[in-house]
């Protein structure tokens, strides 16, 4: 299935330039960590468990939760928090 596209137009000097970006899905403000995980990560985790090498790359503005999304709430000693 082909992704969706958005074209951003920008005026630079006397020229109008456009850049087209392709994406599969956009998560809006109401999206939860669980929503992102189930759509983008869970299928890759299954592939890792099936023996494939996989990479998950998180890209975005500083302070938007990339590390939390990838690692969760990890204590300073590296262990997961208790119940």
């Amino acid at each position: 299935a082909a992704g969706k596209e958005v074209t951003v137009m920008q005026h630079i000097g006397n020229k109008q330039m456009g850049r087209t970006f392709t994406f599969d899905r956009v998560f809006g403000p109401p999206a939860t960590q669980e929503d992102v995980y189930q759509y983008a990560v869970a299928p890759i985790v299954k592939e890792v468990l099936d023996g494939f090498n996989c990479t998950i790359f998180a890209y975005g503005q500083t302070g938007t939760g990339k590390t939390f999304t990838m690692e969760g709430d990890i204590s300073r000693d590296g262990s997961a928090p208790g119940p």
Side-chain angles (χ1 to χ4, degrees):
K4 299 165 185 74
E5 292 183 347
V6 63
T7 300
V8 178
M9 303 304 292
Q10 181 178 18
H11 293 282
I12 300 176
N14 295 347
K15 293 183 177 181
Q16 182 173 350
M17 301 178 68
R19 294 188 67 186
T20 301
F21 300 90
T22 303
F23 56 93
D24 296 318
R25 182 168 182 164
V26 173
F27 294 93
T32 64
Q33 297 293 321
E34 179 71 16
D35 295 335
V36 175
Y37 177 84
Q38 289 301 327
Y39 181 81
V41 179
I44 295 172
V45 170
K46 181 185 179 322
E47 290 181 2
V48 167
L49 296 174
D50 288 342
F52 293 94
N53 292 323
C54 299
T55 299
I56 298 172
F57 182 79
Y59 177 82
Q61 185 174 353
T62 299
T64 57
K66 296 175 301 296
T67 300
F68 180 80
T69 297
M70 299 296 282
E71 297 180 2
D73 188 12
I74 302 295
S75 66
R76 288 186 169 247
D77 67 1
S79 63

